[in-house]
Amino acid sequence: MQRGSYGLWGAEHLLPVELHKKLLALAAVGLLFSAATWLILPAIIPIGGAASGVRVSRLVYPAPLARSIAAPAGGSWTIPVDAVRVGDATFVLDTGNNRVLKLDSAGRVIATFGGQLSARVSLQLPMAIATDGQRLFIANSLDPSIVVMDLSGEVQRALLLPAGVNGKPARPVGVAVLPDGGVVVSDAENHQVLRFTEGGDVLWTAGTGTRAGGAEGFNVPGALAVDAAGNVYVVDTLNARVVELSPGGAFLREFGRRGDTAGSLARPKGVAVDAAGRVFVSDGLLVAVEVFAPDGRYLGLIGRRDMRDLNSGSLFTAPAGLSIADGSLLVTDRYAGVLSFSLR
């Protein structure tokens, strides 16, 4: 892609020198994470539109910024990738430190869960977090398992993922909780999505077990979301789309298309679905959250600093995890922190 080819912002979205240095340092550390690293580090790409503004998106979804936590009060994080809110508490997955930070309504750290959680369970490059309002579900990508704990950090169990069809160990990077208490998990290594019962048994598997596309399967499935009817939304990362599956795991349709302009996807990262069925997708290369109607129509973007100014640039640097709670969209940005947008 050529410099300035993106059609979302209109003004160049260049990273400051200090952040470039930080990215380079983190990239060096990231080599230790081997194949999982690319899911964490964003590409350093300037974002801009055509000088005439012809390709700049004029569709801005009406979700004003309500709050931003660049860093937790009384603590710090390294590469936050996902967050969920339960009541007044926000649980942030601090992947760089293999832990979960519990923040109060003022953004202060009130608890830390991480490292060795129990005699048998430890967080090892956790990549996603979900909640049913009473428990936390964490995709432990290098274990590989889904760690289930209560809101005080007490481990209840760990759901172990089976190896793939070629014998490769699973690498869970996405997790979501179904209305009936079941859990869906994305296995990026084996290009599959697995549905567990509440008891921990695998009910169904979607995908061929190898890289695929269309209705057949996935190419590195990532973040997951579930709607009120139990349909599952899968970020199909390297196919640059979001796939909707039925509660039984059947392919229903896809959102987005590969591209670098409004309504398309370049490197989708996170997904969330609101009560009305609108689909929110964060894109690490487009540096935005794009919104789609239940029928797939593009509704606009979230993240412009000034919703009225086409040249105001993005609030984000590397948007990743998405979740919705109490009329707010939580966006976890790996360098800008946790941002909350009002959906009311």
Side-chain angles (χ1 to χ4, degrees), residues 253-255 277 292-299:
R253 55 180 170 165
E254 61 184 46
F255 290 80
F292 299 88
D295 62 4
R297 288 178 297 111
Y298 175 62
L299 298 179

Side-chain angles (χ1 to χ4, degrees), residues 174-190:
V175 62
V177 186
L178 292 156
D180 65 0
V183 178
V184 284
V185 183
S186 60
D187 177 359
E189 184 66 36
N190 294 295

Side-chain angles (χ1 to χ4, degrees), residues 106-128:
R108 295 182 294 253
V109 177
I110 54 177
T112 301
F113 318 137
Q116 197 71 34
L117 295 171
S118 69
R120 297 183 179 181
V121 178
S122 63
L123 293 183
Q124 301 178 43
L125 203 67
M127 294 300 296

Side-chain angles (χ1 to χ4, degrees), residues 253-306:
R253 55 180 170 165
E254 61 184 46
F255 290 80
R257 62 185 184 280
R258 188 184 302 279
D260 59 7
T261 54
S264 59
L265 299 172
R267 185 57 62 86
K269 293 290 186 179
V271 63
V273 185
D274 69 7
R278 288 178 287 258
V279 181
F280 300 77
V281 185
S282 63
D283 196 296
L285 292 187
L286 300 183
V287 200
V289 173
E290 300 205 80
V291 188
F292 299 88
D295 62 4
R297 288 178 297 111
Y298 175 62
L299 298 179
L301 63 86
I302 295 174
R304 183 164 280 152
R305 289 185 181 277
D306 183 341

